[in-house]
Amino acid sequence: RYGNPALCRSLALTAAQGLGAAWAAYLHPDDRARVLAAWAQLVRGETTQFDEAYRFTLPDGEIRSVRTQAVPIVSDGETVALLGIQIDQTAERRAEAERQLLQARLQHLQKHE
């Protein structure tokens, strides 16, 4: 019913793409089943929180690493909304990958010394 405009902008989605289950089409294929299963458990009330890190493929093909945390808003025993936050971890993931690459190069150089 509601797509957060700031979230849609950060993921380069239109309002329609951010509504309902439309966002699931942009989940990275390797993460899709896991994330959708966890989301479905939250929506069905089987869990009280959603906390997943996954990759999201933007419409232009760019891949972002995000972490989403959400909780249900319950009224009269029924989930009426979901409240959450999404953190873009792309820069941190890229920096960590670069750090690991540099660490491996350093170890290789030390080995040759």
Side-chain angles (χ1 to χ4, degrees), residues 10-12 25-32 34 53-67 86-95:
S10 74
L11 296 175
Y26 299 95
L27 290 170
H28 190 280
D30 293 344
D31 300 332
R32 185 174 287 127
R34 173 181 52 83
Y54 53 95
R55 290 162 293 176
F56 196 87
T57 305
L58 302 186
D60 68 1
E62 180 186 348
I63 296 176
R64 298 256 179 99
S65 296
V66 299
R67 180 175 183 172
Q86 186 169 76
I87 302 163
D88 187 337
Q89 298 179 317
T90 306
E92 292 89 350
R93 298 283 174 132
R94 288 179 182 158

Side-chain angles (χ1 to χ4, degrees), residues 1-2 39 42-45 71-83:
R1 289 184 237 162
Y2 171 78
W39 190 257
L42 178 70
V43 171
R44 290 190 305 258
V71 295
I73 304 299
V74 179
S75 177
D76 295 327
E78 181 182 341
T79 298
V80 295
L82 299 168
L83 177 64

